[in-house]
Amino acid sequence: LIPWVDMFNFNPCMATPGCRVRQTQDCYLVVATSDCPKGGEVFVDYGPKGNAELCLWYGFAVPGNPNQSWGSVDHQSLAEANR
C-alpha cells in the first residue's frame, strides 16, 4: 500500500486515466495525464484487470468491469469428468 495514492479511485471505463504513479529511488510521483477541473475527480490506472485480480491485489471489484472475462464451460464434459 502507498499512503494517499491508495485513496485514488479507479475506473476501467476511462479512456485516459487522470494520473499515473511512478516509483523513483526516493519517492512515488503522481503525475497528471490530462487537465482536471477544480473539484474534479482524478483516477489512477491499475491496467486492464478482471475483478478477481482487482479483488486479490487491491481489495475491490468493479461492477460491469469491461476487463472481466469468463471462459466458457462445457457443462456436459465437466459432469463426465467428475464421474
Side-chain angles (χ1 to χ4, degrees), residues 9-14 43-44 46-56 58-70:
N9 285 327
F10 169 68
N11 183 347
C13 298
M14 296 280 301
F43 296 95
V44 70
Y46 292 110
K49 294 179 176 28
N51 282 335
E53 191 173 4
L54 287 172
C55 205
L56 176 67
Y58 304 105
F60 67 91
V62 177
N65 186 344
N67 298 305
Q68 187 64 35
S69 64
W70 301 97

Side-chain angles (χ1 to χ4, degrees), residues 1-16:
L1 297 175
I2 306 168
W4 296 106
V5 172
D6 290 326
M7 295 178 73
F8 280 92
N9 285 327
F10 169 68
N11 183 347
C13 298
M14 296 280 301
T16 305

Side-chain angles (χ1 to χ4, degrees), residues 13-70:
C13 298
M14 296 280 301
T16 305
C19 66
R20 61 186 165 84
V21 180
R22 227 178 43 200
Q23 182 179 359
T24 70
Q25 185 174 347
D26 301 319
C27 65
Y28 287 92
L29 296 173
V30 179
V31 180
T33 57
S34 58
D35 290 339
C36 181
K38 183 176 180 178
E41 190 169 6
V42 177
F43 296 95
V44 70
D45 183 16
Y46 292 110
K49 294 179 176 28
N51 282 335
E53 191 173 4
L54 287 172
C55 205
L56 176 67
W57 294 108
Y58 304 105
F60 67 91
V62 177
N65 186 344
N67 298 305
Q68 187 64 35
S69 64
W70 301 97

